[in-house]
Amino acid sequence: MSRSIGLAGAFALAGLLPCGALAATDADLAEIRAQIQQLKESYEARIQALEQRLKEAEAKSASARAAEGAVPPAAAVATAPPAAPAPPSGSANAFNPAVSAVLQGVYASLSQDPTNYAITGFVPSGDIAPAKRGFGIAESELGLSANVDDKIYGNLIFSLAPDNSV
């Protein structure tokens, strides 16, 4: 008995001792800092190259406009007539409705016989009972939806219940 208490105490003390964390050495930190510096330099060089290409493209565009005698872009935008709205584009399935089907299945494996099912203290009404044993189809749906015209959208859902009602 005293051995088990002593052993439990030893494990408790071992759990309370701080675990030594593995810290990165100075060489590892220096290597990481060097890699970060290299990334910064490469990104700075890429940004400088992109800025130079942008300046060249702007200069080339300005010289082309000067050679044509074109209006500066600010004035061209101000004097441009407003664009006419684009006609509605028809799709390949414009006359085909969207069809969806939802089938809900049931599997019942019961320990009690469903025909003799009763809740103690309640009068059986026949409405509340477990499902029949085996596979069955519960409430299922068939849906159709489509644009009727440019202002009306139609949606029709048939719902079929297990008691053969719609």
Side-chain angles (χ1 to χ4, degrees), residues 109-132:
S109 175
L110 307 169
S111 60
Q112 296 179 359
D113 184 14
T115 58
N116 298 330
Y117 179 78
I119 300 175
T120 306
F122 292 92
V123 176
S125 65
D127 292 341
I128 300 174
K132 295 179 182 177

Side-chain angles (χ1 to χ4, degrees), residues 19-115:
C19 296
L22 298 176
T25 63
D26 290 337
D28 292 339
L29 291 175
E31 182 181 345
I32 291 171
R33 287 186 181 118
Q35 288 175 356
I36 291 173
Q37 186 62 32
Q38 288 174 354
L39 283 173
K40 285 181 181 178
E41 290 172 0
S42 70
Y43 284 140
E44 189 65 32
R46 290 169 82 184
I47 289 172
Q48 293 296 331
L50 288 173
E51 287 177 354
Q52 182 63 30
R53 286 177 56 193
L54 178 63
K55 287 179 184 177
E56 291 172 0
E58 287 175 347
K60 188 176 182 181
S61 174
S63 65
R65 266 184 293 182
E68 288 180 4
V71 181
V77 171
T79 60
S89 61
S91 62
N93 62 351
F95 296 109
N96 296 333
V99 179
S100 65
V102 178
L103 298 175
Q104 183 177 356
V106 177
Y107 175 73
S109 175
L110 307 169
S111 60
Q112 296 179 359
D113 184 14
T115 58

